Amino acid sequence: MSTATHDSPAGLHLPAAPHAAVRPASTGPTTTTSGPTDATTTATTHAPAASSAATTGAPARSSDIPPFPTGVQKLTFAKAITLGLRRALADDDKVLLMGEDIGRLGGVFRVTDGLQAEFGDDRVVDTPLAESGIVGTAIGLALRGYRPVLEIQFDGFIFPAYDQITTQLAKMHYRSRGRLNLPVVIRVPYGGGIGAVEHHSESPEVLFAHTAGLRVVTPSSPAEAYALIQQAVTSPDPVLFFEPKGRYWEKGEVDLDAPATAPHGDAATGMDTARVVRAGTDVTLVAYGPTVTTALKAAEAAAAEGTSIEVVDLRTLSPLDTATVAASVQRTGRCVVVHEAPVMYGTGAEVAARITEECFFHLEAPVLRVGGFHVPYPVAKIEHDYLPGLDRVLDAVDRALAF
Amino acid sequence: MSSSGLPHADLTPAAPGARPTGSPSGSTAPAAPWTPAATHGGPAAAPVLTTDGRAAAYSTSQPSSAQSSSAQPAFEGGPLAEEGLVQLLTPTGERVAHPEYDAYVAALTDDDLRAMYRDMVLVRRFDTEATALQRQGELALFAQALGQEAAQVGSGHALRPQDHVFPSYREHGVAHVRGVDLTDVLRLFRGVDHGGWDPVAHGFHLYTLVIGSHTLHATGYAMGVVRDGLVGTGDPEKDTAVVTYFGDGATSQGDVSEALVFAAVNQAPVVLFCQNNQWAISEPTTRQATVPIAARAPGFGIPAVRVDGNDVLASYAVTAQALERARSGGGPTFVEAFTYRMGAHTTSDDPSRYRSSEQEEYWRRRDPIERLRAYLESRDALPSQFLASLAAEGDALGEHIRTTIRAMGHPSAASMFEHVYATPHAGVEAERAWFESYESSFLDRPGHSEGSHR
Ligand SMILES: Cc1ncc(C[n+]2csc(CCOP(=O)(O)OP(=O)(O)O)c2C)c(N)n1
Ligand SMILES: [Mg+2]
């Protein structure tokens, strides 16, 4: 229900859209007029129009749009996604952004800030408040040759669209025996730790990883986010793109000139692959999305105590890059998986089973899991007792080492 | 409808023509008939039906170009038109006659009106206090009812104790009228509780944050009321209705359309009360509809009425009529209360990004509390003694809110394992046991500091 959460700097620490006063051309009459009057309503009994900024239909002048930044820059996670989307929109005019509050407002996390002003309200679309409708119509648009990139406002609000995603989006390529592709990306801010009310902090990624036909990707840093969002948009498959919202305001270096790389087939850059983000010898910590930072901090803390932790960032949950994880565990002999989602039937269970199958004789300890409990996401005041923080990760590392 | 209490009662829906008409008061016209003609021109041609069956005066001109990719209102005025709203008090507080709804307010005394005024003033005070507490870091978030007090308090006053309400998350005015301690409402916003009050004790369900879901719960609850034989008995202590509150944005959700379908075919005693506050976060109602929101309902066979939601008397009157229809077995009614979200969507929102201060100013001048105040003053019905005691009551409420919230603390970490299931669940119990031993292990492990969670 909220816009960006109270204690995140959403929208507050970001500069105002530099060109908010200019509206792009649209193919039809202006439809996003934000006041109680619009061009066709009778004005007599109506309140004043919204800000004049809203009602001009003039195309954005190129001088009002900041040039695409270049070089290596220190960016927030959110801004890296914004720029990745901006590049995707510029590269392919079939790319459309659709979602609730993503246009005029720039999204409740401001991830799409400025994009409607630059690309127009027919390419960055404020949709009706209906997630099933957003995904369902995106399927139709994709069938018509478009590449919709959807935003679900918060993890907990994807469920009205669950039917469209699992029964339609995931299966159409299969049912058509490969005749139809649905290159739809669904961006989902997910994860907790931001002090929000219920349904705003959940981690439902395995529900989608469990569904054949969907790719599930989740970046862990601004640089990853910039690259992976562009790959997701060019993938011919539907992609669930889970963004760790608790990390939106963390900064990292991003090479904005890095060429967009192919999503599939390249083990070094493709989105189907996991990555060793810190080398180590004693324990492999497997993480993804928001917990990669936690794992790196744990590795740092453990190093001070003489334990060498290798951190693997899964990056993609479907497909699961078991080879990279197995190679690491063959080196370390121990494996701990950490994620915010509940442990029960979770990614950790899948990794543990695969590693047990593939590295049984290398294992010095059972694969351990650290994650959420089998309870609904709790109230904000105690969410840090629920989430797998540094202490719980180090506790599991200690237990793995004690075998 | 079957009035059998048996769980397997025949639920064959009443044919539209078989709907019981009239009401105990005898003052309502029959429900608006479903007009098959409305379907021929497509949805855009469906007239908004007033409860007397007359189509309201919306132009039905078609879009000029069929090729237009725009969602321009096909109706002159579109979803933000102010024509055709039931109004009993003008914005300056003058009482205007209404042939249909005067009867519903005729019995209200000055004391009743002052009670409404009091509730509106107290709820606004609550909004102010809660917003301040959020700014001070005492609440994680807050969503104001600011500007919607008349719609909420007016409709809330039309309820009887046995009725049941399914709110969304902004209905603090209704919560207050239903006797919920407003500090309990803040438990959710402080992040110490997902609910906060006993829904059964108050006939007021928990807030629902997932837009639109609860409209189906309300409809199902109302279907249960019918099975229990508690509509159409003629006994005002027994006949029961259900109200669900939701926003303009919510009407786009599939669940809300499904609620309309189930309410109609079951002739459920439910009032679907939409507060069209003109905004769904940053999106104006023109992003959700091209015709007035109330125009959705007749296509489902549900009579609809548009009311000036800043007019507490009119809000009371249309709700009273709709509740009476529901209780007497006349089925569902859709109420669109046209109002304005005077504040931000929530304390996290910045409306200056998407709406003008002129618009905000326009609606500030149509403040629902000022309207009732002007009317009461014109009747000489606001004695200074009343105002003084109300001011004192407001201060006491403010004090109560501040001290209660600050003293709320937070729940124990282990409480997250409580009430996941109604009976013990081995998986939860095993995790709870692990968690408790893990927590106690910190007592003898100084190396790891509790709290360094991220
Ligand atoms: C299913 C779902 N999708 C999205 C949201 C995020 N959200 C919270 S409030 C809101 C706008 C609701 O507008 P409206 O129904 O008009 O109610 P109002 O806030 O104006 O009272 C949105 C999109 C949500 N809570 N639930
Ligand atoms: Mg609204």
Side-chain angles (χ1 to χ4, degrees):
Chain A
M1 67 171 296
S2 75
T3 60
T5 52
H6 74 289
D7 56 356
S8 83
L12 300 176
H13 297 198
L14 293 174
H19 35 256
V22 177
R23 303 264 304 164
S26 64
T27 50
T30 302
T31 59
T32 51
T33 310
S34 286
T37 57
D38 55 38
T40 62
T41 54
T42 35
T44 45
T45 58
H46 286 211
S51 68
S52 53
T55 51
T56 57
R61 278 169 288 127
S62 53
S63 62
D64 293 311
I65 305 296
F68 199 92
T70 56
V72 177
Q73 303 226 1
K74 210 155 193 216
L75 299 175
T76 63
F77 207 116
K79 186 73 180 172
I81 299 171
T82 312
L83 290 174
L85 291 170
R86 188 172 165 193
R87 234 173 109 168
L89 282 159
D91 284 353
D92 182 354
D93 61 12
K94 294 292 190 192
V95 172
L96 311 176
L97 268 47
M98 296 162 56
E100 296 157 10
D101 305 288
I102 68 160
R104 192 74 190 289
L105 184 64
V108 296
F109 290 106
R110 308 295 185 258
V111 170
T112 53
D113 189 25
L115 298 180
Q116 189 182 72
E118 181 171 354
F119 295 98
D121 57 14
D122 55 337
R123 296 201 54 207
V124 180
V125 182
D126 275 327
T127 64
L129 205 179
E131 289 76 11
S132 182
I134 293 169
V135 176
T137 57
I139 291 172
L141 283 157
L143 290 172
R144 191 67 197 174
Y146 290 89
R147 304 187 89 89
V149 181
L150 316 179
E151 177 175 299
I152 298 293
Q153 203 161 81
F154 283 89
D155 36 66
F157 305 137
I158 198 168
F159 297 104
Y162 195 61
D163 170 46
Q164 287 287 347
I165 295 170
T166 55
T167 71
Q168 305 301 317
L169 184 64
K171 296 176 174 61
M172 211 154 305
H173 182 76
Y174 189 72
R175 290 171 54 225
S176 71
R177 303 314 296 156
R179 291 185 186 93
L180 302 174
N181 285 347
L182 291 182
V184 175
V185 177
I186 305 180
R187 296 179 38 244
V188 189
Y190 83 123
I194 59 164
V197 291
E198 66 174 340
H199 313 298
H200 292 70
S201 304
E202 297 173 7
S203 297
E205 62 274 13
V206 292
L207 301 178
F208 303 95
H210 194 67
T211 302
L214 305 173
R215 293 177 183 273
V216 181
V217 177
T218 177
S220 62
S221 70
E224 290 281 8
Y226 180 68
L228 288 174
I229 189 65
Q230 294 179 65
Q231 291 187 8
V233 175
T234 54
S235 174
D237 286 321
V239 179
L240 271 287
F241 194 82
F242 283 94
E243 302 172 2
K245 69 171 94 72
R247 306 290 182 201
Y248 268 152
W249 316 110
E250 292 180 3
K251 287 190 165 185
E253 286 192 345
V254 181
D255 180 1
L256 293 164
D257 300 334
T261 44
H264 310 299
D266 186 331
T269 59
M271 71 182 195
D272 296 340
T273 54
R275 213 169 257 174
V276 175
V277 291
R278 179 185 171 116
T281 52
D282 301 336
V283 180
T284 297
L285 253 184
V286 177
Y288 57 88
T291 56
V292 172
T293 306
T294 315
L296 288 169
K297 284 184 189 163
E300 199 72 27
E305 294 177 11
T307 303
S308 171
I309 291 180
E310 177 148 307
V311 179
V312 176
D313 174 4
L314 288 180
R315 299 170 81 240
T316 291
L317 303 184
S318 179
L320 180 64
D321 178 5
T322 317
T324 299
V325 183
S328 173
V329 177
Q330 280 164 13
R331 290 190 290 274
T332 62
R334 293 179 168 83
C335 181
V336 174
V337 191
V338 49
H339 46 66
E340 290 190 9
V343 162
M344 178 109 93
Y345 297 110
T347 304
E350 183 62 31
V351 170
R354 301 264 170 196
I355 292 305
T356 308
E357 285 163 16
E358 297 193 16
C359 313
F360 189 67
F361 294 106
H362 292 84
L363 284 173
E364 307 282 347
V367 180
L368 299 180
R369 294 169 291 163
V370 189
F373 299 106
H374 188 64
V375 305
Y377 195 90
V379 293
K381 286 280 188 204
I382 57 171
E383 67 179 329
H384 287 294
D385 295 295
Y386 169 91
L387 291 168
L390 198 51
D391 292 332
R392 290 232 308 271
V393 173
L394 290 171
D395 171 77
V397 167
D398 288 350
R399 283 187 279 131
L401 286 166
F403 270 92
Chain B
M1 297 301 296
S2 162
S3 58
S4 155
L6 295 174
H8 302 296
D10 175 13
L11 286 185
T12 309
R19 178 192 296 149
T21 55
S23 72
S25 79
S27 58
T28 40
W34 180 70
T35 22
T39 57
H40 297 321
V48 174
L49 298 178
T50 58
T51 48
D52 60 1
R54 283 179 290 114
Y58 299 109
S59 153
T60 54
S61 60
Q62 294 296 304
S64 51
S65 159
Q67 276 79 43
S68 169
S69 66
S70 97
Q72 283 298 338
F75 276 70
E76 242 190 289
L80 296 172
E82 290 185 51
E83 295 89 3
L85 299 173
V86 174
Q87 191 180 74
L88 299 179
L89 291 179
T90 67
T92 53
E94 279 165 61
R95 178 74 169 82
V96 285
H98 194 291
E100 189 174 354
Y101 291 101
D102 281 347
Y104 288 91
V105 296
L108 293 179
T109 65
D110 279 348
D111 271 344
D112 294 329
L113 297 181
R114 275 191 294 267
M116 291 185 191
Y117 182 76
R118 168 185 172 272
D119 286 340
M120 290 165 73
V121 166
L122 292 179
V123 168
R124 183 159 297 183
R125 177 62 177 257
F126 165 73
D127 261 354
T128 309
E129 294 289 342
T131 304
L133 284 168
Q134 195 281 332
R135 298 290 178 229
Q136 294 159 22
E138 297 288 344
L139 301 177
L141 180 85
F142 185 64
Q144 292 185 322
L146 190 68
Q148 300 175 216
E149 294 91 347
Q152 296 185 8
V153 169
S155 59
H157 270 252
L159 292 162
R160 298 229 182 92
Q162 70 269 29
D163 295 339
H164 210 86
V165 175
F166 287 81
S168 55
Y169 46 78
R170 204 187 286 287
E171 278 70 60
H172 319 317
V174 190
H176 171 68
V177 172
R178 294 304 276 175
V180 176
D181 184 330
L182 289 173
T183 59
D184 284 340
V185 170
L186 295 182
R187 303 180 73 83
L188 185 154
F189 292 105
R190 186 174 169 86
V192 300
D193 207 316
H194 285 323
W197 57 88
D198 180 347
V200 178
H202 296 284
F204 188 78
H205 192 72
L206 302 179
Y207 279 178
T208 298
L209 305 191
V210 182
I211 301 294
S213 300
H214 60 292
T215 57
L216 281 164
H217 312 157
T219 302
Y221 190 98
M223 288 156 60
V225 167
V226 175
R227 284 169 177 260
D228 289 346
L230 290 173
V231 294
T233 71
D235 179 349
E237 305 297 317
K238 276 192 179 164
D239 284 344
T240 301
V242 181
V243 185
T244 179
Y245 292 86
F246 52 95
D248 43 283
T251 62
S252 292
Q253 284 287 4
D255 276 7
V256 175
S257 284
E258 294 178 24
L260 290 166
V261 171
F262 277 75
V265 301
N266 290 288
Q267 286 297 290
V270 61
V271 177
L272 299 129
F273 194 100
C274 175
Q275 290 171 88
N276 178 0
N277 63 7
Q278 308 187 37
W279 293 95
I281 307 185
S282 72
E283 297 194 15
T285 310
T286 49
R287 297 306 301 167
Q288 317 291 345
T290 56
V291 297
I293 293 289
R296 298 197 196 289
F300 291 89
I302 296 177
V305 56
R306 294 188 87 214
V307 61
D308 184 336
N310 284 14
D311 173 350
V312 70
L313 279 191
S315 298
Y316 172 87
V318 301
T319 312
Q321 183 195 49
L323 287 168
E324 230 176 64
R325 178 181 298 139
R327 294 186 191 115
S328 65
T333 304
F334 190 100
V335 176
E336 177 191 352
F338 190 75
T339 178
Y340 188 72
R341 193 195 76 207
M342 284 171 71
H345 171 66
T346 66
T347 45
S348 299
D349 181 33
D350 173 10
S352 71
R353 290 179 71 101
Y354 53 81
R355 70 185 191 187
S356 70
S357 51
E358 291 81 31
Q359 186 191 77
E360 292 180 353
E361 182 51 35
Y362 173 85
W363 284 96
R364 238 194 310 280
R365 288 197 306 270
R366 320 187 107 214
D367 189 307
I369 299 185
E370 288 311 308
R371 189 181 303 201
L372 181 57
R373 170 192 272 269
Y375 176 57
L376 285 169
E377 276 172 352
S378 75
R379 295 171 62 85
D380 245 346
L382 272 189
S384 58
Q385 203 192 345
F386 169 81
L387 289 173
S389 80
L390 179 56
E393 206 181 351
D395 290 344
L397 176 67
E399 179 69 27
H400 170 62
I401 291 168
R402 291 189 300 273
T403 53
T404 309
I405 295 311
R406 294 206 172 100
M408 233 170 224
H410 64 84
S412 74
S415 69
M416 78 173 101
F417 297 100
E418 291 166 13
H419 305 300
V420 182
Y421 297 89
T423 53
H425 178 285
V428 175
E429 294 315 318
E431 289 189 352
R432 185 212 298 262
W434 178 86
F435 181 78
E436 280 169 354
S437 78
Y438 167 75
E439 287 285 285
S440 58
S441 74
F442 282 101
L443 303 173
D444 40 74
R445 282 203 312 172
H448 295 154
S449 64
E450 200 175 355
S452 57
H453 292 284
R454 301 288 283 171

